C-alpha cells in the first residue's frame, strides 16, 4: 500500500490513517514530527496511537497526539497544533481517518496565526481537501490574530 501524504505547505503534510509501514516513507520525506489527530478506538481496524508512536520514536521521529473526536475542534487543540508548527524542526505529518480533520486543524491553526483564509483554502484544495465547511471559522480566527 502506498502512503497518501498530501502537501498542505512547505512544512506540513496531511494523510489518511497511517500504519507503522508509513514511518520510513515519512522519514525519507523529511518528516520529523508525526501528529495523530484521530482518537483511539474510532474503528476496529485502526492501529492504536501508541503503536504509531512507538514506531515513530524508534525511527527517531517525534510524535504528538491531538485527537479530534465527535465534539469537534476546540481552542486548546488549535493552539496545540499552532504550537507544534512553531516547535517542529522539519516537516510535520498530521493524520486522521481521511486526512480531513488534520487539514481542518492545520487550517484553523494557520488562520489563528494570521494567515489569509483564501490562501489556506486554496492550499487545502490543492492537496485534495475541501475546507469550505469551516470557512466561517477560518475567517473568524483570521480576524482575531
Amino acid at each position: 500500500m502506498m502512503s497518501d501524504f498530501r502537501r498542505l505547505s512547505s512544512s506540513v503534510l496531511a494523510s489518511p490513517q497511517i500504519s507503522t509501514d508509513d514511518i520510513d516513507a515519512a522519514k525519507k520525506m523529511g518528516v520529523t514530527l508525526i501528529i495523530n489527530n484521530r482518537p483511539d478506538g474510532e474503528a476496529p481496524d485502526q492501529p492504536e496511537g501508541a503503536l504509531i508512536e512507538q514506531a515513530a520514536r524508534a525511527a527517531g521521529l517525534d510524535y504528538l497526539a491531538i485527537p479530534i473526536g465527535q465534539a469537534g475542534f476546540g481552542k486548546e487543540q488549535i493552539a496545540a497544533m499552532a504550537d507544534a508548527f512553531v516547535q517542529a524542526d522539519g516537516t510535520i505529518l498530521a493524520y486522521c481517518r481521511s486526512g480531513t480533520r488534520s487539514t481542518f486543524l492545520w487550517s484553523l491553526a494557520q488562520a489563528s496565526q494570521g494567515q489569509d483564509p483564501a490562501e489556506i483554502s486554496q492550499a487545502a484544495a490543492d492537496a485534495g481537501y475541501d475546507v469550505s465547511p469551516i470557512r466561517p471559522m477560518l475567517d473568524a480566527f483570521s480576524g482575531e490574530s
Side-chain angles (χ1 to χ4, degrees):
M1 186 170 122
M2 282 281 297
S3 303
D4 185 13
F5 304 154
R6 303 179 193 188
R7 190 160 293 282
L8 296 174
S9 72
S10 61
S11 61
V12 180
L13 304 168
S15 175
Q17 177 67 55
I18 64 170
S19 72
T20 55
D21 294 341
D22 293 311
I23 302 292
D24 282 339
K27 188 171 182 173
K28 287 180 180 138
M29 292 182 72
V31 170
T32 58
L33 170 63
I34 294 176
I35 299 178
N36 178 0
N37 296 131
R38 191 171 188 194
D40 278 338
E42 203 172 59
D45 61 343
Q46 158 190 358
E48 292 290 312
L51 187 66
I52 302 294
E53 178 178 13
Q54 183 179 20
R57 294 198 187 279
L61 306 180
D62 289 327
Y63 173 92
L64 180 61
I66 309 173
I68 306 296
Q70 297 292 335
F73 303 86
K75 286 197 180 225
E76 300 81 21
Q77 293 154 318
I78 295 165
M81 193 74 153
D83 287 346
F85 297 151
V86 172
Q87 309 274 334
D89 184 24
T91 300
I92 295 170
L93 171 62
Y95 75 91
C96 59
R97 186 188 64 75
S98 67
T100 300
R101 280 175 284 185
S102 294
T103 300
F104 281 9
L105 189 56
W106 167 81
S107 299
L108 291 164
Q110 292 299 298
S112 76
Q113 301 299 304
Q115 295 295 319
D116 178 5
E119 291 176 11
I120 295 167
S121 296
Q122 186 59 56
D126 290 348
Y129 293 107
D130 176 14
V131 297
S132 61
I134 62 162
R135 181 60 193 260
M137 288 176 70
L138 293 178
D139 292 336
F141 275 115
S142 165
E144 288 177 12
S145 61

